[in-house]
Amino acid sequence: MNVFLENVNLNSTSGPNSFASKLKKYLENNGCSFDKRIENSDVRLCFIESHVIDNSTPMIQRLDGIYFNKQQDYSRQNENIKRTYEMSNGVVFQSSFNKDLVFKYFGPHDNYSIIHNGADVDLINKVDPIHHPILSKYDNIWSCAAAWRPHKRLQDNINYFLEHKGQNDCLVVAGETAMKNELPDVFYTGNITPPQLISLYKASKYFLHLAWLDHCPNVVVDARASGCKIICSSSGGTKEIAGQDAIVIEEEEWNFDPVELYKPPAINFDKKIKNSYDIDYNMSVVASKYKKFLGHFINEGLYTKSK
């Protein structure tokens, strides 16, 4: 199978692009090849939205979420994503939450698959836990990482740590943020590289991700694969990839109506529920699912050029 990746920058470390790099690596390990020209490929995998008019090969859209923040012009932001959705022969949703959300805003799609994000286990196994003289003084390291925006709830992560930490625990916050509370056991790294993040996760006992209405965060997949116990919100799709041993804080069910995303509701740390999801995070499994789904449109006649 020869694949064309559209709307992907393999030199970027953003969530979608980072996942694309992992997927490319594991699909190549699974016998797939990649071409820089659409017309030479068997199938086209478009991340989020297409800016190319070409129906020479079947197009599969990978959706990592859509816009619903009513403080923004979400209809305009979704316009080209919806156009791509409607012209796609198939759609990959990265969580069940994603599928339900998109079906509500764009309508159902005839051909879709839910394939959660995966972790590069081969890489993780080669990375050593971080060793730092300051961190070595602590019994347990907690960590969190994100592109910190209000709905990622950094302050709630810190508050949960402060309420639940042991006497000699610390929290390491990765990712650039203007909020740097002067607390003795909370440290800020700023932006660090993916291998450095893995090194931090492998030294951490807990990974905090109390974000509101997140879709399928790669940081949670990687932290779980690195051995962290995940602490997350029940909202959105994070719980789907957090593992059965995760600590899930229950929040009110969302009806998918537009919300002020950057004004998340207060969260009650005492409302903990058991997680029922147990999704395999290994990227080799994820890549096999992608290969199988993409293959349907080559081998089973699900593609028509008139679409």
Side-chain angles (χ1 to χ4, degrees):
M1 183 190 301
N2 196 13
V3 182
F4 175 80
L5 290 177
E6 184 185 354
N7 199 27
V8 167
N9 178 4
L10 296 174
N11 295 317
S12 169
T13 58
S14 71
N17 291 306
S18 174
F19 176 78
S21 296
K22 290 187 285 187
L23 182 61
K24 181 175 184 290
K25 170 184 172 180
Y26 279 82
L27 281 176
E28 286 175 333
N29 292 344
N30 213 339
C32 296
S33 57
F34 289 82
D35 206 289
K36 294 184 178 180
R37 295 173 64 90
I38 295 176
E39 59 268 27
N40 293 340
S41 62
D42 299 311
V43 65
R44 168 179 162 201
L45 180 59
C46 176
F47 276 51
I48 306 171
E49 59 184 319
S50 175
H51 300 280
V52 177
I53 299 175
D54 187 308
N55 68 346
S56 60
T57 56
M59 180 174 72
I60 313 305
Q61 180 187 34
R62 177 192 178 265
L63 268 179
D64 66 348
I66 60 173
Y67 296 96
F68 51 84
N69 186 351
K70 66 181 183 181
Q71 292 175 291
Q72 302 170 347
D73 188 354
Y74 64 87
S75 294
R76 184 189 60 79
Q77 291 172 312
N78 284 330
E79 203 170 74
N80 193 48
I81 301 174
K82 183 179 180 182
R83 181 190 68 85
T84 306
Y85 179 80
E86 291 172 344
M87 66 185 285
S88 294
N89 302 98
V91 179
V92 174
F93 299 107
Q94 61 172 331
S95 63
S96 296
F97 166 75
N98 251 169
K99 188 267 291 182
D100 294 341
L101 171 66
V102 174
F103 274 26
K104 170 73 179 288
Y105 281 69
F106 294 174
H109 199 284
D110 291 339
N111 301 306
Y112 72 90
S113 182
I114 298 169
I115 308 177
H116 295 80
N117 292 343
D120 187 345
V121 176
D122 291 343
L123 171 65
I124 289 172
N125 289 339
K126 295 174 184 176
V127 175
D128 293 325
I130 189 171
H131 293 289
H132 193 283
I134 294 177
L135 300 182
S136 65
K137 298 185 296 185
Y138 290 92
D139 295 333
N140 295 304
I141 298 171
W142 300 49
S143 59
C144 59
W148 294 110
R149 288 161 288 170
H151 67 295
K152 299 290 184 176
R153 286 175 163 158
L154 176 53
Q155 187 60 62
D156 287 300
N157 284 349
I158 294 171
N159 290 345
Y160 186 97
F161 164 73
L162 293 174
E163 287 185 23
H164 295 83
K165 72 182 186 75
Q167 286 189 340
N168 194 36
D169 291 1
C170 71
L171 170 65
V172 179
V173 178
E176 198 57 50
T177 173
M179 189 182 78
K180 292 184 171 62
N181 297 334
E182 295 184 5
L183 298 168
D185 299 321
V186 179
F187 305 101
Y188 298 83
T189 70
N191 290 327
I192 56 178
T193 66
Q196 288 173 324
L197 276 172
I198 297 298
S199 184
L200 171 62
Y201 301 155
K202 291 190 77 170
S204 301
K205 183 174 182 179
Y206 301 104
F207 183 82
L208 280 159
H209 196 82
L210 295 174
W212 187 45
L213 303 178
D214 215 341
H215 299 277
C216 188
N218 286 289
V219 291
V220 171
V221 178
D222 288 341
R224 180 185 168 202
S226 299
C228 295
K229 186 180 183 73
I230 307 300
I231 303 166
C232 68
S233 162
S234 68
S235 73
T238 305
K239 62 182 178 294
E240 297 179 35
I241 42 86
Q244 285 190 312
D245 67 337
I247 297 172
V248 180
I249 310 302
E250 185 178 27
E251 296 203 72
E252 185 177 340
E253 198 74 26
W254 180 43
N255 64 3
F256 296 111
D257 286 344
V259 294
E260 294 186 6
L261 183 63
Y262 290 170
K263 294 182 179 179
I267 185 169
N268 184 346
F269 299 150
D270 294 329
K271 290 187 174 181
K272 296 181 174 71
I273 58 173
K274 183 173 175 58
N275 195 18
S276 60
Y277 290 92
D278 189 24
I279 304 299
D280 195 320
Y281 56 73
N282 194 315
M283 198 63 208
S284 63
V285 174
V286 172
S288 294
K289 291 179 180 178
Y290 267 87
K291 183 179 180 181
K292 181 178 180 181
F293 186 64
L294 296 177
H296 288 328
F297 300 88
I298 302 169
N299 303 321
E300 298 184 15
L302 293 181
Y303 167 58
T304 56
K305 286 193 174 185
S306 60
K307 185 160 183 175

